[in-house]
Amino acid sequence: GKEVHFKGPQDARNAGIETVYQNLAVSPALDVASNLYLGRERRKPGILGTVFRALDTAGMRQDARDQVLKLGISTLQDVTVSVENLSGGQRQAVAVARAAAFGSKVVVLDEPTAALGVRESNQVLELIENLRGNGVPVILISHNMPHVFQVADRIHIQRLGKRAATITPQSHNMTDAVAIMTGAAQA
């Protein structure tokens, strides 16, 4: 409800905004749980965590399992598996789960299905719907109109760096959206 200015990505994270980038930004050599907590690792309680700086690996793994279950990600059964052994859709699910775990206000997804096959894209779209169902607002940046129309409540169309229109899947169809995007039609 108020205007804010961020100096960097960490400011946005601190405000509860998480982003899943097109290149995923996951670390392939780490397991699923470690990727979820990358940069936010928790330490063990007591002297082990404060003095010896030991990580709470078991706690982070349990919370990662809970987050995966909460989002309904059935393809990630084991959070101790290295991300490099996962499919593209599963890797995207890890990135989305990380954003959902820490994005209390909004999750921004930049082309989350761009490099995925049909089955994996459907898994990501299902994840988006689960996020929305859990009350997390999602901003989906995509050029894939069928995907946009499948999950969007409102569609903000950009043309030449400016807002061309804001439509809904109920008020316009995909052909209308593409026509606005290309400049063939006005909203």
Side-chain angles (χ1 to χ4, degrees):
K2 63 179 181 175
E3 187 174 325
V4 294
H5 297 279
F6 300 126
K7 293 179 181 155
Q10 192 58 48
D11 288 349
R13 281 190 183 137
N14 293 340
I17 300 169
E18 286 292 325
T19 304
V20 177
Y21 299 98
Q22 189 171 358
N23 65 359
L24 298 186
V26 292
S27 182
L30 297 178
D31 65 25
V32 172
S34 296
N35 265 282
L36 257 65
Y37 282 92
L38 191 60
R40 296 182 172 113
E41 294 84 356
R42 284 196 326 233
R43 292 194 191 112
K44 287 186 177 183
I47 194 167
L48 288 176
T50 56
V51 175
F52 296 107
R53 303 175 65 81
L55 295 180
D56 182 12
T57 305
M60 289 187 291
R61 284 181 176 167
Q62 184 56 53
D63 288 352
R65 278 186 208 96
D66 294 344
Q67 185 64 27
V68 165
L69 286 173
K70 179 181 171 187
L71 288 174
I73 304 171
S74 59
T75 59
L76 292 176
Q77 301 297 325
D78 185 3
V79 296
T80 64
V81 171
S82 294
V83 169
E84 64 193 353
N85 295 324
L86 301 177
S87 70
Q90 289 171 317
R91 289 178 190 207
Q92 189 66 271
V94 170
V96 171
R98 180 180 57 215
F102 298 102
S104 59
K105 302 271 195 263
V106 67
V107 174
V108 180
L109 302 168
D110 180 13
E111 296 282 355
T113 61
L116 303 179
V118 173
R119 190 173 136 265
E120 293 174 329
S121 292
N122 287 334
Q123 289 172 346
V124 171
L125 295 172
E126 188 176 308
L127 268 176
I128 293 168
E129 290 172 341
N130 289 344
L131 271 176
R132 185 175 60 191
N134 289 335
V136 178
V138 177
I139 296 173
L140 171 66
I141 301 166
S142 181
H143 66 279
N144 189 316
M145 287 297 106
H147 291 173
V148 170
F149 272 78
Q150 181 178 336
V151 298
D153 295 320
R154 189 173 48 227
I155 302 166
H156 179 96
I157 300 173
Q158 293 279 112
R159 175 167 165 69
L160 303 174
K162 296 182 180 169
R163 182 183 63 83
T166 301
I167 63 173
T168 67
Q170 295 77 28
S171 67
H172 292 74
N173 61 36
M174 282 185 254
T175 305
D176 297 334
V178 171
I180 295 167
M181 206 178 303
T182 60
Q186 300 281 328

